[in-house]
Amino acid sequence: MSVARPGQSSSRETDRHRWWALVVIALAQLMVVLDATIVNIALPSAQHALHMSDGNRQWVITAYSLGFGGLLLLGGRIADLVGRKRTFLVGLAGFAAASAFGGAATSSGMLYGARALQGAFAAVLAPSALSLLTTTFTHPRERGKAFGIYGALAGSGSAIGFIVGGVLTEFLNWRWCLYVNVPIAVVAVLGALALLRDRPGRAGARLDLPGAALGCGGLVAVVYGVSEAQPRGWTDPLVLSLFALGAALLLTFVWWQSRAPVPLLPLHVLRDRVRAGCLLTMLLAVIGMFGLYLFMTYYLQEILGYSPLRTGLAFLPLTAAVITGSTQISARLLRHVAPRVLMVPGMLLAAGGLLLLTRLTVDSRYPSEVLPALVLMGLGMGLTFMPVFATATAGVAPQDSGVTSATVNTSQQVGGSIGTALLNTVATTSGAAYVTAHLRGRADRARVVPEGIVHGYTVALWWAAAVMLVAGLIAGLMVTGRAPKHGAPAEAPVSEPAA
């Protein structure tokens, strides 16, 4: 009979402690990822309840992605300054409070503000969660397992969001798609207080507040200008002024990053051609994907008459295809082929899926005309996302690994916010023009208005497909590196102490 060595029992307790800590970290990350899609299903109901216009409804999505993407780099610096665990707790508490505020919204402006706050606290929560995961699991084999679980939860978050959003909207109401974050956050806070350990913050860390203000302000100006183009027109003085202001702020942001003592975004990270190509590919690819989520949600519910739950289930093949393309195709092939060999076909498949959807009519059927397009889109995005993340973060200095990862996520959120605003404006403008041109009398309204709405969606999807093709071109021309090397795997598992 073996005799337990001194400290063996405490070692096993520590091991269990770490894995329970992973549950807490993954739960917080799942909440952030889930919230990007759960509100999509509830958006038609929320629009009717709060009397939003078609032009302004996109702010429910855009406000979140702007706050998240615009402040993500700053959130990572805050975690360095005050400590990861403390930042994690603040992010959880703030996200829960913003969710409750949004669930209780009595006006569209109140909901937009709550979504922006959610995004801001998500920008604090996400980098601290990833940093805690990195520092909690230091053994190579344990770290691989932990990141696999973490990635699987993050990857399935969109599917869970679609289903949960459908269930809550159909059987309770759309407000519960926001309220649901409160109990999740409470459980995560209690778990974090009991289980998470962290070193104190770095006394020398500094915050680049001017950089955050310039970058986020520039993005808000551009997105606001795009949204105002729908009621005012692209050549309206206010719209042009917003574009000019946004461009000026973003150019000033780039200038300041080259001179700031501790920049949010060290420019040498972007000077690598392959990395810059990955970031541009990600930004453009997400434009089309966010547009697809928005339009297909409204098409399925408002045109085909699907319930919120049935709409959520209708998106599952898309999520399954993304996971398949990422884990079963890209992850297996990336060790043997150059990243662009996967990324370029991925963007072509995604563009093909969007082009299939441009044939939608008010009488289209899901199995024959929607489902094949969703599968193509999902496979294309799965083929692209995995090599983008792997290649963009390969070969960076240890001190730049955090900011590089945050930059990839920032490009994803920025692409989503700009794409949602741009494509929604294109759709509503084109739809209104179609109705004006074809409406001959009151009796035609019941037929022409739905046709105009679908026409607007198809025009926007043509634009989204074109953006995907540009993303494929950029990937082919700029991402010229070989398969990324993140370090050779161990030939055999690291041996553990004998019992």
Side-chain angles (χ1 to χ4, degrees), residues 17-329:
H17 175 278
R18 284 202 305 275
W19 292 106
W20 278 110
L22 172 63
V23 173
V24 173
I25 295 168
L27 189 63
Q29 178 64 15
L30 177 65
M31 184 175 66
V32 171
V33 174
L34 179 148
D35 222 66
T37 56
I38 191 172
V39 176
N40 275 277
I41 301 299
L43 187 51
S45 299
Q47 181 180 356
H48 292 310
L50 299 180
H51 310 292
M52 302 177 208
S53 69
D54 287 346
N56 288 333
R57 67 190 177 193
Q58 52 88 16
W59 280 107
V60 177
I61 310 300
T62 302
Y64 180 81
S65 56
L66 268 179
F68 195 176
L71 298 175
L72 189 58
L73 293 170
L74 183 64
R77 295 293 190 192
I78 292 173
D80 287 338
L81 179 64
V82 304
R84 299 177 183 92
K85 179 178 176 179
R86 187 178 301 174
T87 306
F88 185 78
L89 290 169
V90 170
L92 280 172
F95 197 91
S99 299
F101 182 61
T106 56
S107 67
S108 57
M110 187 174 171
L111 181 58
Y112 302 154
R115 290 288 286 166
L117 283 174
Q118 278 187 308
F121 282 108
V124 173
L125 180 59
S128 58
L130 190 57
S131 297
L132 283 167
L133 185 67
T134 302
T135 56
T136 300
F137 294 90
T138 55
H139 190 286
R141 188 165 60 180
E142 283 189 348
R143 175 176 287 197
K145 186 177 179 181
F147 270 87
I149 296 171
Y150 181 86
L153 282 173
S156 61
S158 60
I160 297 171
F162 285 131
I163 296 172
V164 173
V167 169
L168 292 175
T169 303
E170 184 162 348
F171 296 108
L172 294 173
N173 62 52
W174 66 268
R175 297 180 184 277
W176 279 95
C177 291
L178 294 160
Y179 286 144
V180 71
N181 293 318
V182 177
I184 296 175
V186 169
V187 172
V189 166
L190 294 175
L193 289 171
L195 297 168
L196 295 182
R197 303 289 182 266
D198 187 31
R199 304 181 186 91
R202 284 176 17 210
R206 299 172 63 179
L207 297 180
D208 181 15
L209 294 178
L214 289 168
C216 196
L219 291 173
V220 169
V222 170
V223 172
Y224 186 43
V226 170
S227 66
E228 284 297 307
Q230 189 268 326
R232 297 174 179 270
W234 292 96
T235 58
D236 182 81
L238 176 62
V239 173
L240 296 177
S241 297
L242 287 167
F243 287 153
L245 175 62
L249 289 173
L250 292 175
L251 288 173
T252 307
F253 169 78
V254 173
W255 170 84
W256 173 249
Q257 294 307 286
S258 66
R259 289 160 175 78
V262 185
L264 276 181
L265 179 59
L267 294 184
H268 66 263
V269 171
L270 301 180
R271 291 194 182 107
D272 180 84
R273 175 179 173 179
V274 171
R275 187 170 299 113
C278 286
L279 295 173
L280 278 174
T281 301
M282 174 63 82
L283 186 146
L284 294 172
V286 173
I287 287 177
M289 192 164 192
F290 271 59
L292 176 78
Y293 283 158
L294 178 66
F295 300 136
M296 291 313 299
T297 297
Y298 273 89
Y299 178 78
L300 293 171
Q301 291 191 42
E302 301 290 323
I303 303 300
L304 297 189
Y306 279 27
S307 68
L309 177 57
R310 191 179 178 189
T311 301
L313 293 173
F315 275 107
L316 288 186
L318 171 68
T319 303
V322 171
I323 295 174
T324 300
S326 178
T327 62
Q328 301 304 311
I329 302 176

